Amino acid sequence: MASRLPPLNPLRAFEAAARRGSISAAARELSVTHGAISHQIRSLEETLKTALFERGGKRLKLTPQGALLLPAVTQAFDGIAAATALMNRPSTSGSLRISCVPALLSLWLVPRLGSFTDRYPEISLTLTSSNDSSLIYSPDIDIAILYGPGGWKDCWTRLWSTFDLFPVVSPTLLNTRPLRSTRDLRDHVLLHGDDGREWRSWLAAADELDMPKAREHFMGDARLSTEAARFGQGVALGDSITASSLIAAGELVIPFDLAVPAPDAFYVAARNDVRAAPIAKVFIDWIFDMIETERAAQPRPASRPSGRGLPSARKRNANTTAVLSEES
């Protein structure tokens, strides 16, 4: 008949104390008292009927019997930890098809994909540039990242981030055609990423809604208007999510300290059956972790002072707000 194994807790106390070389350090690691570790080690020694540590020195020293036991105990605990990790690890291999708002895809998601692929090298992504909410229900798309009002039916939806809008311009254009006040916008091309609603909202907050506009270009999405601003084609409305890297690199500048809430927000959505799949869950968890980490770490981009006092409006928050409530 096989001999009875020693109790688990005394073995844990022995392994931690031997590895750390200190009863106090082992107690801190295992979140118990110094006395509890000492008691567990004495209990193990009584069970094995042998001393495991030499007493008397400042640092614990294993006896020959303790040195014989330690590798086997360490290997056993490592094996248990590895098996537990494998049991709890979801299936993270296969293909995942993502549809994403064009501006968010090219200016935020793609530059950060290395973080995801390093963590989940066995997942292959197919990326589609679109803000079409009907793709939530398409069998060709697993997860949709959308800019809109939310509230789509018969699917899982979670608010990823709200944000504010503010003008952005290339420093080259600003050096040749200054923006000392909002009135100077009359001498610039306004670049639209939508049908004009967002610029109208910002101009109303700046008390310039009736400003005569010499020229306007309508780009159809924020990615194109932001890129056009980057190349000095005019002034676009940006935000700290899609334009953050360009602002940080100095390729775009914020000329006015005035921002307005975007009319809609970014959402992550998926069919309920897809949302339950482990491969979808790891991507969704990753994208929320990324925005939360950046929101906590990213300072507010410096703004260029305006030469004219601006009317009251919500100013740019220090960070983009990521809301973690779930919606049906």
Side-chain angles (χ1 to χ4, degrees):
M1 187 172 78
S3 60
R4 185 170 175 268
L5 291 174
L8 180 62
N9 283 340
L11 287 172
R12 288 184 66 209
F14 163 72
E15 190 276 336
R19 175 166 40 81
R20 292 280 195 161
S22 165
I23 297 289
S24 298
R28 287 192 296 271
E29 178 180 317
L30 299 179
S31 300
V32 297
T33 65
H34 183 284
I37 295 293
S38 296
H39 173 75
Q40 295 286 5
I41 291 174
R42 284 196 301 271
S43 173
L44 181 61
E45 289 177 327
E46 290 172 2
T47 298
L48 298 176
K49 296 181 173 54
T50 186
L52 299 173
F53 293 102
E54 295 180 4
R55 267 62 175 182
K58 290 185 178 180
R59 182 174 176 85
L60 290 177
K61 183 178 179 181
L62 288 167
T63 64
Q65 292 83 358
L68 179 65
L69 179 63
L70 179 61
V73 173
T74 301
Q75 183 177 4
F77 279 122
D78 287 346
I80 292 170
T84 302
L86 286 175
M87 289 170 59
N88 294 331
R89 183 179 178 182
S91 174
T92 54
S93 62
S95 298
L96 197 59
R97 299 160 299 181
I98 310 295
S99 169
C100 185
V101 184
L104 190 64
L105 177 61
S106 62
L107 298 174
W108 189 91
L109 182 57
V110 168
R112 290 161 177 80
L113 275 182
S115 167
F116 180 80
T117 54
D118 287 347
R119 192 180 305 181
Y120 303 104
E122 296 181 357
I123 296 180
S124 173
L125 297 178
T126 299
L127 303 176
T128 298
S129 178
S130 176
N131 194 38
D132 183 357
S133 61
S134 69
L135 291 177
I136 299 172
Y137 313 101
S138 169
D140 297 325
I141 294 295
D142 298 313
I143 298 170
I145 306 168
L146 301 165
Y147 175 66
W152 299 287
K153 296 181 179 180
D154 301 322
C155 67
W156 174 89
T157 305
R158 185 175 174 182
L159 178 61
W160 185 68
S161 185
T162 58
F163 56 91
D164 294 343
L165 298 168
F166 47 86
V168 291
V169 63
S170 76
T172 302
L173 180 60
L174 207 57
N175 288 334
T176 59
R177 195 174 301 167
L179 280 170
R180 298 184 181 89
S181 76
T182 54
R183 290 180 179 176
D184 292 333
L185 284 170
R186 305 175 189 198
D187 300 323
H188 286 263
V189 178
L190 296 189
L191 303 169
H192 298 274
D194 65 350
D195 59 2
R197 176 175 58 154
E198 292 178 346
W199 260 117
R200 286 193 296 272
S201 176
W202 191 90
L203 290 171
D207 197 25
E208 293 286 0
L209 189 57
D210 297 328
M211 177 188 76
K213 295 176 282 295
R215 287 166 294 171
E216 298 178 278
H217 293 324
F218 293 84
M219 303 290 180
D221 68 67
R223 174 180 59 89
L224 297 176
S225 60
T226 302
E227 286 291 343
R230 177 189 173 201
F231 287 107
Q233 303 302 316
V235 185
L237 284 178
D239 64 81
S240 66
I241 299 178
T242 61
S244 60
S245 60
L246 298 176
I247 294 169
E251 296 185 57
L252 289 175
V253 176
I254 307 170
F256 307 113
D257 189 18
L258 174 68
V260 299
D264 291 319
F266 289 125
Y267 289 85
V268 179
R271 297 183 301 283
N272 290 313
D273 60 323
V274 174
R275 171 67 182 94
I279 193 173
K281 184 179 185 301
V282 295
F283 181 85
I284 292 170
D285 289 346
W286 171 81
I287 196 172
F288 275 94
D289 287 346
M290 286 295 290
I291 193 64
E292 278 295 291
T293 300
E294 293 186 9
R295 184 178 67 89
Q298 186 179 44
R300 175 180 175 173
S303 299
R304 291 174 60 95
S306 168
R308 170 187 172 191
L310 294 175
S312 175
R314 189 167 78 172
K315 291 189 176 182
R316 182 80 188 122
N317 293 329
N319 302 296
T320 301
T321 302
V323 184
L324 301 183
S325 60
E326 293 192 5
E327 301 177 359
S328 299

